[in-house]
């Protein structure tokens, strides 16, 4: 499974650096020098090549991080082979990904990556089936499990110990003890 870790934004300067919208909790690891990132072409994938009009630009399958730095609260990244502003502009909108198999599990047993939770069955402490985890929403107050109910509706469950007392990755389930009315919202 491909995990999106960033999205290339506008170029910065004339030497090929780009801004990156970070979509990972570990930008220092994902954008370390030498890191190879897979690409998913964005909206600009069919624009003309920097070499001349009429030749479509082909986004490379991978990009290797040359260096990354913070500048005014944004992450700036230079990739090997992206040497000027025109090539950097052609990459705008490209999503950057890593393979989930290459991501080491968190050290804290109470911490989970989103991809580990998506698809798990959601049950009550008594074993009643509530649905499955569709995705994780990262809200300011707490993370939310987005539960896909059997009848097709969705419900939001705060991912806090009081409501989600157990995550059993090996068993493929999340135990949820929802307060009355939570699943009816």
């Amino acid at each position: 499974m491909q995990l999106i870790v960033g999205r290339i934004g506008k170029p910065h300067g004339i030497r090929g650096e780009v801004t990156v919208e970070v979509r990972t909790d570990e930008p220092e690891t994902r954008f370390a020098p030498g890191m190879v990132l897979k690409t998913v072409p964005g909206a600009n994938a069919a624009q003309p090549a920097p070499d001349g009009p009429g030749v479509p630009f082909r986004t490379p399958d991978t990009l290797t991080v040359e260096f990354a730095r913070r500048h005014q609260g944004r992450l700036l990244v230079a990739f090997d082979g992206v040497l000027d502003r025109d090539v950097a502009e052609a990459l705008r909108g490209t999503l950057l990904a890593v393979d989930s198999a290459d991501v080491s599990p968190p050290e804290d047993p109470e911490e989970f990556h989103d991809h580990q939770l998506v698809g798990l069955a959601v049950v009550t402490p008594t074993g009643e089936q509530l649905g499955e985890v569709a995705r994780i929403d990262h809200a300011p107050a707490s993370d939310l499990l987005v539960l896909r109910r059997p009848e097709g509706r969705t419900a939001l469950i705060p991912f806090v110990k009081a409501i989600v007392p157990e995550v059993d990755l090996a068993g493929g389930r999340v135990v949820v003890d929802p307060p009355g009315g939570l699943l009816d919202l």
Side-chain angles (χ1 to χ4, degrees):
M1 169 189 287
Q2 296 297 310
L3 304 176
I4 304 299
V5 296
R7 180 179 166 276
I8 296 178
K10 65 183 182 179
H12 179 82
I14 60 171
R15 295 193 178 123
E17 284 182 286
V18 294
T19 60
V20 172
E21 175 189 315
V22 176
R23 296 185 184 176
T24 177
D25 289 342
E26 302 173 326
E28 300 80 21
T29 303
R30 302 290 162 238
F31 298 100
M35 186 70 176
V36 177
L37 301 170
K38 295 178 181 164
T39 62
V40 180
N44 290 353
Q47 75 180 30
D51 295 333
V55 180
F57 177 76
R58 184 184 172 285
T59 302
D61 294 334
T62 62
L63 289 169
T64 303
V65 176
E66 187 175 313
F67 67 86
R69 64 186 175 100
R70 291 272 175 194
H71 177 69
Q72 297 180 347
R74 290 185 287 190
L75 182 67
L76 299 180
V77 179
F79 294 106
D80 289 344
V82 180
L83 303 175
D84 63 37
R85 186 176 185 89
D86 291 334
V87 175
E89 180 63 44
L91 291 171
R92 186 186 273 206
T94 300
L95 297 174
L96 303 168
V98 296
D99 194 311
S100 61
D102 297 336
V103 177
S104 58
E107 293 177 19
D108 182 353
E110 296 295 315
E111 188 177 319
F112 306 94
H113 291 299
D114 293 2
H115 73 276
Q116 293 176 294
L117 301 171
V118 173
L120 295 182
V122 179
V123 299
T124 65
T126 60
E128 177 189 350
Q129 293 287 329
L130 298 175
E132 75 173 31
V133 178
R135 69 175 190 276
I136 313 301
D137 283 353
H138 300 282
S142 73
D143 292 338
L144 299 167
L145 297 176
V146 178
L147 172 66
R148 183 180 307 116
R149 305 278 287 149
E151 67 275 2
R153 294 185 310 115
T154 59
L156 299 177
I157 299 173
F159 194 22
V160 294
K161 191 75 168 167
I163 299 173
V164 184
E166 181 184 351
V167 174
D168 180 6
L169 293 177
R173 68 188 190 121
V174 176
V175 177
V176 173
D177 191 8
L182 179 67
L183 300 179
D184 298 327
L185 296 175

